Amino acid sequence: TAGVISAQTRSGTNDWHGAMSHFLRNDKLMARNPFTQFQKIRGTDRYIPVTQWNQFGGALSGPVARNALFFFADYQGTRRNTGGSALLRVPSAAERQGDLSGLGVDIFDPASGATPADRKQFEANRIPAARLSPQAQNLLQHIPLPNIEGAIRDQPNYVGSGTIRFNEDLANTRWDYYRGKMHVFGRYSFADYRMDSPGIFGELAGGRGFDEAVPFAGISRTRNQSIAAGYDYPFSSTLLTD
């Protein structure tokens, strides 16, 4: 999503000012999603994946030299473990062996004709074992079998749960210097983001992530730095420079 944000940092003053904040949310007080969290996560006694949002920070400003040099600084850290669950379809045990009769569609042999109209249907919609790709068979060993009973055709037959780790550190500092009518300032901003989002099938097979809105799977590292400076001086009541 694109956007434009305009922000302005404030100068310190001859008085000291400070602020601190802390926000915490975790899975101990969360209700589980009955549509995707209806069974325990494999190997655990949990229905809800580990979820924690821990956000903390503070700000401080004041004088370095009264009436002349001032500073402002702030920091915010966020440590997030966001649990999610997703529904999707994986090949059944029969389909992995070439038996596609349960899909409700006809399966044709691509080697039996030059065009789709000339091709012959596999008998009973079953692909012979000798025609199965060994590469696909090796890949399917890393994709789990269905864990939802009663799903038919293209209905979701697998539910997976996991946790996305997203940490960030944000900081700003600003310094202002006044000498007579002259004013000079400098500002430095730092933002560091670290995301680890596992795929629903694990490290080898990957698959989609667990965030319903943005199903990203993988590792992301982003660091933004910004620096700015300014100078202003009034020559008269009608002539200013910036």
Side-chain angles (χ1 to χ4, degrees), residues 144-161:
L145 289 165
N147 59 7
I148 300 176
E149 297 181 359
I152 60 174
R153 296 188 179 179
D154 58 350
Q155 291 181 350
N157 60 6
Y158 180 79
V159 58
S161 299

Side-chain angles (χ1 to χ4, degrees), residues 12-17 60-64 69-72:
T13 67
N14 281 325
D15 298 319
W16 289 93
H17 296 277
L60 182 67
S61 68
V64 177
L69 182 61
F70 310 95
F71 83 95
F72 169 86

